[in-house]
Amino acid sequence: MAMDQAGGDQEFVFVAKLHNVRNFSNVLRAVHFKDQAAFCATANGIKVTVEDSKCMQANAFIQAGIFHEYHVKSDSVTFRINLTALLGCLTIFGSSSQNGATAMKMCYRGDGHPLVALLEEGGVLTDCKIKTQEMEDALPFDFCHTDVVNKVIMKSEGLREAFGELDMSSDFLEIMMSPDKPFFRLSTFGSSGSVHCDYPKDSDMMELFSCAKAQSNRYRVNLLKPSTKALALSCKVSIRTDPRGLLSLQFMLRTEDGQICFVEFYCCPDEE
C-alpha cells in the first residue's frame, strides 16, 4: 500500500490500518446522530462515544482485531473529533465504491495534532487531516452490570418489526417486562391511540428472557430514534434495565468479514 511510505509510524501515539474502510465507517455511522464524538483507543480497540441532552449516550466498540494493523503507544489515547467530518473523509471514494475496497491508514500524533486519515483506492491516494479537541468528561451513565433487574436478548428483526408497527411519531415508548404475561411489551401512545407489541418469553425472536420483577418505564422516542441506525445493521439486541429504569440497548453487528462489533445506547427513563 503506497500509504505505508507516508512517514515512519514511530512518531504517532496511535496508528490503525484497514484493507477495507467500509466495516469501520458502518459502525461509526451507527452512532452518528450528533457531530461531536469522543474517541478512546486502547490496546483492546477503539471506543467512540456520542451524547445527547444529558439523557442519552451511545458507545461503539471496535475491536483491535478488525484492523489488520493496530498500535497504541500508551494505556489510552483520547480525543474529541467531528464525526461528520471523519465519515465524510472515510467515504470520500463513495460509501459503496464499485471499483473495489478503500484502504485506510489512520494516525494521530497526540494532543494538539489533527487526526490524519490516508485513504487509497485504485492507486489514488487522499490525505485528510481532521482537527481534534481535548476530551470532555463523559456523562456518568454508571450502568452497573451486577444491578441489571431485567434482561432480554432477541433477534434484531423482532425489534425492527415492532418499531415498524409502533407509532414512532408519539412522544414516548413504554417498555414493560414482567415475569408473567405479557412478559415483554412495547407500547406507544399517539394521537391515533395506543399501540402494543407483545413478545412471549418463548417467542422465536427471544434468545434469552430474564425478568426478576415487573418493571414499566417510558422513554422519549426522540432519544431512542438514533438507535434505529444500529438496529438496522445488527443481528441481535440485548435490552436491559437497572433498578432506576436506566435502559441499555446493546446491538451486535457482524462485519462483512465475520468480525463482531458492539454498539450500546443508554437512555434515561422519563421522570414525569
Side-chain angles (χ1 to χ4, degrees):
M1 193 159 58
M3 63 178 73
D4 287 334
Q5 274 72 59
D9 289 348
Q10 61 275 5
E11 63 198 275
F12 298 108
V13 295
F14 165 66
V15 176
K17 296 178 187 175
L18 270 171
H19 293 309
N20 185 351
V21 78
R22 190 159 60 225
N23 290 330
F24 182 52
S25 60
N26 276 348
V27 178
L28 294 182
R29 208 173 276 119
V31 294
H32 179 221
F33 56 92
K34 290 283 179 185
D35 282 341
Q36 292 300 313
F39 272 63
C40 177
T42 66
N44 295 325
I46 302 170
K47 178 183 175 185
V48 183
T49 301
V50 182
E51 296 178 332
D52 183 19
S53 332
K54 303 197 184 302
C55 297
M56 202 261 272
Q57 183 185 86
N59 295 290
F61 303 93
I62 302 138
Q63 280 92 323
I66 279 179
F67 301 93
H68 79 268
E69 218 173 291
Y70 184 89
H71 308 287
V72 180
K73 275 211 172 152
S74 55
D75 288 345
S76 68
V77 171
T78 59
F79 53 86
R80 284 175 65 78
I81 197 167
N82 186 304
L83 188 55
T84 307
L86 176 59
L87 278 166
C89 293
L90 298 182
T91 55
I92 205 158
F93 290 109
S95 55
S96 56
S97 184
Q98 301 304 306
N99 306 328
T102 301
M104 177 198 77
K105 176 181 175 181
M106 195 163 63
C107 37
Y108 177 61
R109 276 196 172 85
D111 290 350
H113 290 280
L115 180 71
V116 178
L118 296 156
L119 297 145
E120 182 184 42
E121 186 176 299
V124 179
L125 191 68
T126 301
D127 178 346
C128 305
K129 291 185 175 70
I130 305 159
K131 186 181 174 185
T132 60
Q133 297 116 35
E134 282 186 28
M135 288 283 273
E136 295 171 5
D137 288 340
L139 297 173
F141 279 98
D142 50 345
F143 191 94
C144 182
H145 298 264
T146 55
D147 276 352
V148 171
V149 175
N150 295 318
K151 179 178 181 178
V152 164
I153 297 176
M154 64 190 297
K155 293 173 184 172
S156 294
E157 63 193 89
L159 194 57
R160 286 196 288 268
E161 283 171 12
F163 280 5
E165 290 172 27
L166 293 164
D167 178 6
M168 297 306 272
S169 67
S170 58
D171 290 337
F172 299 103
L173 171 74
E174 186 177 86
I175 299 177
M176 185 232 194
M177 296 190 223
S178 166
D180 309 301
K181 281 187 176 181
F183 301 112
F184 182 63
R185 168 175 281 183
L186 301 171
S187 307
T188 50
F189 309 91
S191 52
S192 54
S194 54
V195 184
H196 306 292
C197 286
D198 291 351
Y199 290 91
K201 62 179 179 180
D202 56 356
S203 158
D204 290 345
M205 291 296 167
M206 287 284 184
E207 295 207 358
L208 182 141
F209 180 86
S210 171
C211 183
K213 66 171 188 178
Q215 199 180 30
S216 181
N217 292 289
R218 286 188 177 193
Y219 304 91
R220 290 196 171 273
V221 168
N222 63 343
L223 291 174
L224 291 174
K225 270 185 179 167
S227 71
T228 56
K229 282 185 182 179
L231 176 61
L233 294 165
S234 68
C235 50
K236 287 184 194 178
V237 55
S238 159
I239 303 162
R240 297 174 299 167
T241 52
D242 75 356
R244 299 161 296 164
L246 180 63
L247 175 69
S248 158
L249 295 171
Q250 190 179 66
F251 301 95
M252 189 172 101
L253 282 60
R254 189 172 275 113
T255 66
E256 290 170 6
D257 51 3
Q259 297 265 15
I260 298 296
C261 291
F262 289 95
V263 173
E264 189 162 38
F265 285 78
Y266 295 123
C267 187
C268 294
D270 194 71
E271 302 293 347
E272 290 173 20

